[in-house]
């Protein structure tokens, strides 16, 4: 690896998993930046490459107009902490020369443009690996580098429809719905991070680089594994839709209480017996059909009105406590502000507090990697960068003189952003 010794931990400390790994990230919007964000939280030195004029379009995405006006849209803030921003014009020869210098120092190169774009710029995988045979080159696209759909444009919303995800997420009446956040973008980013980690480990014994091809469509299908297997083997999907659990348990669903909603499911016979006992339905717990409810698809419809009547007689918090105490998974249906204030999240360190962004009078809390390590785990060292915030710093580290940097800025090849300026 191209180890940065200045980033080495002090004696006695455990280094984060990717400390000393440098990533040049030419990606934009969601999937690619989310991929590099995972690795940045775990210690990688990620240098974002952005256009000098406007930067990543995610800087202007989100419902907060004030943040968008500053180039700090919520879509950008959520996945760009721990990164530096270098704004250069990759269509100029001088900009390309800078990127090549940076590639010479890197372990990983990430891009997520449509196939052919990086080749036209001169930074396709063949060109980069010819110069750096040990680099890990990762491409994240909608449909992959090859195939009949490979040149099509793609966004999460469209891929949820194309992949069958919307059809799987249907009501009993057949109405299709999208998942309420860009799940395909984010799972593609996670798979990309996993692929890069795999390639870096492989490189420790192969001494060779790797080319990674992540397709958002592939990622969407991969996380629907049981459904894909069902259709591949049976030729069709036999799922009723609605709020019943994936297991098909007749004692599952979302129910109205006297102050909100409760979601619960008893996925085993033992849980079914416990749930019915906790709800005062011990007699129904002896129903022999509960031992094999898959053979009795109408059982859920029989229990539904009974469960609705019982749950309507108490609060969601009451039923959550009753069922949880009985060993039955259950929860009051919460909205995001409620769950973000839950004390359990503080114990798990799910949210990380970012250092203050210069010129912004609001604090920033962002999600972490979603797991904990006993030693050398995630840490948030720097806030999301303004566009070109680190251009001068990075160019100086490559040996550029002050005069040369000034000429590049004046020519529009390099963009910079100072505190308080709109990126």
């Amino acid at each position: 690896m191209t180890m940065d010794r200045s980033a080495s931990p002090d004696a006695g400390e455990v280094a984060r998993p990717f400390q000393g790994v440098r990533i040049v990230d030419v990606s934009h919007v969601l999937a690619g930046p989310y991929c590099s964000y995972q690795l940045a939280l775990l210690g990688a030195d990620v240098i974002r490459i952005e256009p000098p004029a406007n930067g990543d379009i995610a800087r202007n995405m989100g419902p907060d107009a004030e943040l968008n006006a500053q180039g700090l849209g919520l879509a950008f803030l959520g996945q760009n902490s721990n990164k530096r921003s270098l704004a250069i014009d990759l269509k100029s020869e001088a900009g390309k020369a800078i990127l090549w210098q940076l590639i010479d120092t890197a372990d990983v190169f990430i891009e997520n443009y449509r196939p052919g774009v990086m080749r036209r710029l001169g930074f396709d995988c063949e060109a980069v690996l010819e110069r750096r045979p040990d680099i890990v080159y990762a491409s994240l696209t909608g449909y992959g580098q090859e195939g009949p759909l490979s040149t099509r444009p793609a966004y999460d919303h469209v891929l949820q429809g194309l992949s069958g995800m919307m059809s799987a997420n249907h009501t009993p009446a057949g109405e299709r719905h999208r998942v309420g956040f860009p799940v395909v973008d984010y799972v593609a980013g996670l798979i990309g991070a996993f692929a890069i980690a795999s390639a870096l480990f492989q490189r420790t014994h192969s001494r060779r680089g790797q080319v990674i091809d992540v397709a958002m469509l592939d990622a969407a299908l991969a996380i629907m594994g049981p459904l894909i297997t069902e259709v591949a083997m049976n030729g069709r999907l036999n799922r009723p839709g609605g709020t019943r659990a994936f297991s098909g348990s007749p004692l599952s669903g979302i129910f109205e209480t006297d102050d909100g909603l409760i979601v619960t499911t008893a996925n085993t016979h033992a849980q079914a017996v416990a749930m019915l006992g906790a709800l005062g339905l011990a007699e129904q717990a002896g129903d022999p059909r509960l031992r094999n409810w898959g053979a009795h698809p109408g059982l859920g419809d029989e229990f539904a009105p009974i469960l609705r009547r019982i749950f309507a007689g108490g609060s969601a918090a009451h039923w959550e406590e009753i069922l949880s105490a009985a060993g039955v998974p259950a929860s009051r249906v919460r909205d995001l502000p409620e769950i973000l204030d839950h004390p359990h999240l503080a114990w798990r360190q799910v949210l990380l507090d970012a250092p203050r962004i210069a010129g912004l009078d609001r604090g920033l809390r962002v999600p972490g990697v979603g797991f904990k390590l006993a030693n050398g785990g995630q840490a948030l060292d720097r806030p999301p960068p303004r566009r070109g915030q680190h251009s001068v710093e990075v160019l100086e580290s490559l040996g550029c003189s002050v005069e040369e940097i000034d000429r590049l800025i004046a020519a529009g090849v390099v963009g910079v952003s100072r505190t308080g300026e709109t990126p």
Side-chain angles (χ1 to χ4, degrees), residues 299-318:
L299 194 56
D301 293 333
E302 292 182 31
F303 274 108
I306 301 172
L307 295 176
R308 284 196 294 266
R309 174 179 55 80
I310 291 175
F311 284 126
S315 70
H318 168 74

Side-chain angles (χ1 to χ4, degrees), residues 340-361:
L340 293 186
D341 280 338
H342 199 290
H344 183 76
L345 269 65
W347 279 97
R348 294 294 304 167
Q349 297 177 323
V350 173
L351 297 178
L352 305 176
D353 292 307
R356 285 278 180 175
I357 300 174
L360 187 68
D361 61 359

Side-chain angles (χ1 to χ4, degrees), residues 127-343:
V128 172
L129 266 80
E130 181 178 359
R131 179 159 173 150
R132 285 290 313 281
D134 62 338
I135 204 166
V136 173
Y137 187 107
S139 296
L140 291 83
T141 59
Y143 306 102
Q145 297 298 306
E146 299 174 336
L149 301 178
S150 61
T151 59
R152 284 190 183 183
Y155 283 120
D156 176 278
H157 194 87
V158 172
L159 282 160
Q160 286 196 37
L162 174 68
S163 67
M165 188 176 290
M166 286 184 182
S167 293
N169 188 27
H170 67 271
T171 67
E175 184 180 357
R176 271 67 169 165
H177 292 279
R178 71 176 181 89
V179 178
F181 66 97
V183 60
V184 181
D185 273 308
Y186 288 114
V187 74
L190 285 174
I191 288 176
F194 175 50
I196 289 169
S198 300
L200 288 172
F201 180 75
Q202 183 184 51
R203 193 177 71 167
T204 62
H205 52 269
S206 72
R207 307 300 175 190
R208 297 172 56 187
Q210 185 60 273
V211 177
I212 296 169
D213 177 6
V214 176
M216 292 169 65
L217 176 58
D218 299 358
L221 294 169
I223 61 169
M224 295 191 290
L227 300 184
I228 301 305
T229 302
E230 180 178 337
V231 174
M233 295 188 69
N234 297 333
R236 63 188 180 90
L237 190 62
N238 185 24
R239 304 278 172 174
T243 62
R244 196 166 296 167
F246 180 77
S247 65
S249 168
L251 300 177
S252 66
I254 301 174
F255 302 95
E256 293 275 0
T257 70
D258 67 7
D259 68 348
L261 297 172
I262 184 83
V263 58
T264 185
T265 181
N267 280 348
T268 67
H269 179 257
Q271 288 175 343
V273 171
M275 178 174 174
L276 291 170
L279 296 179
L281 298 172
E283 184 176 342
Q284 283 91 333
D287 190 327
R289 295 176 296 171
L290 287 172
R291 293 188 175 277
N292 184 19
W293 58 60
H296 305 280
L299 194 56
D301 293 333
E302 292 182 31
F303 274 108
I306 301 172
L307 295 176
R308 284 196 294 266
R309 174 179 55 80
I310 291 175
F311 284 126
S315 70
H318 168 74
W319 294 121
E320 179 178 329
E321 290 298 322
I322 292 293
L323 293 174
S324 296
V328 179
S331 175
R332 181 169 61 85
V333 175
R334 292 165 169 83
D335 58 23
L336 282 174
E338 286 182 287
I339 189 59
L340 293 186
D341 280 338
H342 199 290

